[in-house]
């Protein structure tokens, strides 16, 4: 009895050629441009600026609502005169000091919270009490402690940056997978080496999110605080520029100052934070 398996005969099947297909015509230029997010946003921006200009001309009162073109002329004039760049440099210099100090303190506090129970209790207590407190509400106390000057501004900036940054960093530390934690312990990492080489890289998306929130809070707090400082001491940055021109009824320059605040925020968001995310979390596959 033959127990060998049957052998299937081999054959070759000729495949029919694929039908000829016509090359599709390229999409129209407008359709391709509408597929770009940057182009769509530019269209929306142009629409908003047009509505602004039309509303100003309908209002026909430059003191109440100057048009876009008039604001642009005031912006250009103060840029070339050097007044607006000087105010921007003062504001950004003060902002960077408070922002860096607040971010470092927040990182230290969140590191303490993830390390020991006392740190967790301290972070929970302080954030519950101080995070809902507006930074500008501490300005009278800062004036009493530090007087008129940069130190008072830095104090309120540190308060505005520290708590959202600490909460985001601590949340990111808690979300680090246990396998990464165990890998760090197996390599003998403890203390600051464990935090800097394991926790911070793994929690970097949350830390960058905290940095962005802290930047927005600090920028708004600085402009509001400079309005008060400008009224008190006659000097300051962009906030004082806006306040001074409002008192002198130069509404177009007030709008130019507000436009400067918006442009700086867009530049920091679009250049610094986007570049940081592209070179870190997106490059590492931690964020899409």
């Amino acid at each position: 009895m033959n127990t060998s398996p049957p052998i299937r005969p081999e054959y070759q099947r000729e495949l029919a050629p694929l039908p000829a297909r016509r090359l599709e015509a390229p999409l129209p230029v407008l359709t391709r441009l509408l597929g770009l997010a940057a182009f769509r946003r530019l269209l929306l921006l142009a629409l908003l600026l047009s509505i602004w200009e039309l509303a100003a001309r309908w209002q026909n009162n430059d003191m109440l609502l100057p048009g876009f073109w008039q604001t642009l002329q005031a912006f250009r004039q103060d840029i070339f005169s050097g007044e607006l760049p000087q105010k921007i440099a003062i504001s950004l210099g003060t902002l960077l000091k408070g922002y860096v100090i607040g971010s470092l303190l927040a990182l230290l506090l969140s590191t303490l919270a993830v390390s020991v129970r006392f740190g967790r209790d301290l972070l929970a207590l302080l954030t519950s009490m101080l995070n809902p407190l507006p930074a500008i509400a501490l300005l009278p106390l800062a004036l009493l402690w530090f007087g008129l000057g940069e130190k008072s501004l830095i104090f309120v900036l540190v308060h505005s940056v520290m708590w959202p940054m600490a909460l985001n960093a601590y949340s990111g530390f808690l979300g680090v997978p246990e396998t990464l934690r165990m890998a760090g312990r197996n390599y003998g990492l403890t203390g600051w080496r464990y935090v800097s080489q394991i926790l911070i890289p793994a929690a970097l998306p949350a830390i960058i999110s905290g940095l962005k929130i802290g930047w927005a809070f600090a920028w708004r707090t600085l402009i509001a605080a400079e309005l008060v400082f400008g009224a008190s001491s006659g000097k300051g940055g962009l906030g004082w520029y806006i306040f001074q021109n409002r008192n002198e009824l130069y509404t177009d320059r007030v709008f130019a100052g507000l436009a400067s605040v918006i442009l700086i925020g867009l530049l920091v968001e679009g250049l610094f934070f986007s570049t940081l995310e592209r070179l870190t979390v997106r490059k590492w596959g931690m964020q899409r």
Side-chain angles (χ1 to χ4, degrees):
M1 182 178 181
N2 188 8
T3 58
S4 59
I7 300 176
R8 186 175 59 183
E10 298 181 358
Y11 63 93
Q12 183 177 359
R13 178 177 296 175
E14 297 292 338
L15 298 178
L18 294 175
R21 297 180 59 184
R22 294 182 303 173
L23 295 178
E24 296 182 358
L27 294 174
V29 177
L30 181 60
T31 304
R32 284 181 286 172
L33 289 177
L34 290 176
L36 301 176
F39 181 76
R40 296 196 303 270
R41 293 172 184 174
L42 285 177
L43 284 181
L44 289 175
L45 180 60
L47 177 62
L48 293 176
L49 294 179
S50 301
I51 294 174
W52 175 14
E53 184 68 28
L54 291 175
R57 296 194 179 191
W58 176 79
Q59 179 73 26
N60 197 23
N61 190 337
D62 295 341
M63 187 176 296
L64 292 180
L65 182 62
F68 167 70
W69 182 252
Q70 184 179 355
T71 301
L72 184 62
Q73 294 298 321
F75 179 82
R76 183 186 63 83
Q77 180 180 354
D78 286 352
I79 283 289
F80 286 108
S81 68
E83 181 180 3
L84 200 51
Q86 181 185 9
K87 301 300 183 184
I88 292 174
I90 293 174
S91 293
L92 290 180
T94 305
L95 177 67
L96 287 177
K97 294 176 184 178
Y99 185 73
V100 171
I101 294 174
S103 299
L104 292 177
L105 290 177
L107 189 59
L108 290 176
L109 185 58
S110 57
T111 300
L112 180 65
V114 80
S115 301
V116 295
R117 182 180 299 175
F118 170 76
R120 292 193 293 272
D121 296 337
L122 180 64
L123 177 63
L125 180 62
L126 291 180
T127 52
S128 299
M129 293 191 306
L130 300 178
N131 192 36
L133 184 65
I136 198 65
L138 295 176
L139 189 56
L141 190 61
L143 292 173
L144 180 63
W145 286 351
F146 304 105
L148 294 174
E150 190 181 50
K151 293 181 180 179
S152 297
L153 284 175
I154 292 176
F155 176 78
V156 295
L157 288 175
V158 169
H159 172 79
S160 65
V161 172
M162 186 173 177
W163 310 117
M165 174 65 189
L167 286 175
N168 276 270
Y170 181 63
S171 176
F173 289 160
L174 293 181
V176 175
E178 189 62 30
T179 53
L180 291 179
R181 298 174 182 270
M182 294 175 61
R185 298 190 189 100
N186 290 337
Y187 278 103
L189 299 178
T190 58
W192 175 246
R193 292 181 59 205
Y194 174 72
V195 173
S196 62
Q197 298 183 27
I198 298 296
L199 295 184
I200 290 181
L204 198 55
I207 294 175
I208 294 178
S209 177
L211 289 173
K212 294 167 69 174
I213 296 173
W215 156 260
F217 284 4
W219 189 224
R220 291 182 296 183
T221 301
L222 176 65
I223 299 302
E226 281 183 341
L227 289 171
V228 179
F229 271 75
S232 302
S233 60
K235 60 183 180 179
L238 270 176
W240 165 237
Y241 173 86
I242 295 171
F243 183 84
Q244 184 183 30
N245 285 289
R246 195 271 298 177
N247 286 341
E248 298 175 2
L249 299 181
Y250 293 139
T251 313
D252 52 350
R253 285 182 166 83
V254 173
F255 274 78
L258 296 175
S260 301
V261 174
I262 295 173
L263 288 175
I264 292 173
L266 291 175
L267 287 176
V268 172
E269 177 70 26
L271 294 180
F272 176 73
F273 287 115
S274 295
T275 303
L276 180 62
E277 289 178 342
R278 186 177 67 253
L279 295 178
T280 55
V281 293
R282 291 182 184 175
K283 183 179 180 180
W284 302 337
M286 303 172 67
Q287 191 180 71
R288 290 188 296 176

